[in-house]
Amino acid sequence: MPDATNLSFGVDVGGSGIKGGIIDLDTGEMVGDRHKVLTPQPSTPEAVAAGVAEVVEHFDWTGPVGITLPGVVTDGTMRTAANIDKGWIGTDVYQLFGTTLGDRRLSVLNDADAAGMAEDRFGGGAGVDGVVMLLTLGTGIGSAILINGTLVPNTELGHMIIHGKEAEHQASSKVKEDKGWSYEKWTHKLSRVLEAYEALFWPKLFIVGGGISRKSDKWIPLLTNSTPVVPATLRNTAGIVGAAMAVDTGLRT
Ligand code: BGC
């Protein structure tokens, strides 16, 4: 196992997979391969914690571990679970992961917050001053707001009511898929969501992530909001990189 001070470890817990790997914090790059196990169904805290341990053990990694979860984490407790087993609500996440990962430093944070930290430092937001907003467009919509690299955690803008409906219920990539919408139809909805966000937060830049950002050349040009929108560049490693960054700094949200 590589062991240098600039290496850290992140695990990103998503609806379909639990992915992790060793991250070089100087470059934001993965050292070696990413390892993925399927997210257990039902995705209960105990089952997911076992999956996270499996990913960590795959690398024989014994150092600190950062972990993302798709919900609000405050004071070491998971508060919401919009797209994961409801058993997470009220779970003491440090106790949970401490049980399967043993006595080591851990940071547990929201998935979009982690992706935002990574994209802001190493990806689409690198070199941009001021307020940057990252949105993950997947099963739900995750959000992260950063100012000059500092995160405001747990913003949860995917649940903002816009034109009478939660943003993630009208503009996530899952909604596009479920309804069979064209990019034109979907970007119309997404533009309205971005317009609502920019009217309140006035970011310098939106970074859009999630699987659909891989085809961003097909739809970013169709957006009609004012603020520039760029695709996430770290692709499927942003959450892992952000988790690794978080534990390195000892972040607790
Ligand atoms: C959750 C957020 C999460 C996002 C993406 C939303 O439904 O409330 O916490 O960041 O989905 O996973």
Side-chain angles (χ1 to χ4, degrees):
M1 178 184 66
D3 187 22
T5 48
N6 63 342
L7 296 183
S8 182
F9 197 98
V11 183
D12 191 18
V13 175
S16 59
I18 300 173
K19 297 145 274 182
I22 299 168
I23 300 299
D24 181 338
L25 293 172
D26 291 334
T27 60
E29 279 165 14
M30 189 158 280
V31 178
D33 289 337
R34 190 180 76 131
H35 185 66
K36 173 176 171 179
V37 299
L38 292 180
T39 304
Q41 299 302 337
S43 48
T44 60
E46 293 69 27
V48 168
V52 169
E54 194 182 328
V55 170
V56 174
E57 279 157 19
H58 173 84
F59 295 90
D60 291 330
W61 179 263
T62 55
V65 174
I67 302 162
T68 80
L69 291 173
V72 170
V73 180
T74 60
D75 297 326
T77 300
M78 179 95 157
R79 307 288 176 182
T80 65
N83 296 304
I84 195 168
D85 189 85
K86 302 293 176 234
W88 280 93
I89 298 172
T91 295
D92 178 334
V93 293
Y94 289 97
Q95 192 183 54
L96 174 76
F97 291 114
T99 308
T100 51
L101 294 173
D103 187 19
R104 62 172 103 201
R105 193 164 82 235
L106 301 174
S107 265
V108 184
L109 74 163
N110 174 263
D111 55 358
D113 282 348
M117 286 169 61
E119 284 290 336
D120 188 65
R121 165 118 50 110
F122 299 111
V128 179
D129 290 334
V131 175
V132 169
M133 193 179 289
L134 169 116
L135 300 170
T136 58
L137 307 168
T139 308
I141 292 182
S143 63
I145 298 181
L146 295 107
I147 175 155
N148 299 329
T150 301
L151 173 75
V152 179
N154 295 309
T155 47
E156 293 294 317
L157 295 177
H159 300 296
M160 195 166 123
I161 307 289
I162 297 169
H163 294 280
K165 215 172 180 180
E166 279 191 43
E168 76 174 24
H169 293 160
Q170 54 182 312
S172 66
S173 65
K174 180 175 188 295
V175 170
K176 176 184 182 300
E177 219 171 275
D178 289 351
K179 304 215 179 214
W181 283 346
S182 62
Y183 283 119
E184 284 74 14
K185 169 98 187 182
W186 176 65
T187 48
H188 173 70
K189 303 277 185 188
L190 184 58
S191 295
R192 294 204 311 188
V193 167
L194 297 181
E195 279 159 11
Y197 294 161
E198 65 195 5
L200 295 176
F201 298 99
W202 292 88
K204 292 273 175 65
L205 181 73
F206 284 117
I207 306 172
V208 286
I212 201 159
S213 68
R214 259 174 242 140
K215 292 188 182 149
S216 63
D217 53 321
K218 289 201 168 37
W219 57 267
I220 286 184
L222 305 176
L223 292 168
T224 53
N225 68 292
S226 312
T227 309
V229 181
V230 296
T233 59
L234 300 179
R235 307 281 175 218
N236 51 14
T237 63
I240 302 172
V241 174
M245 289 166 67
V247 73
D248 183 63
T249 59
L251 181 74
R252 294 250 173 156
T253 58

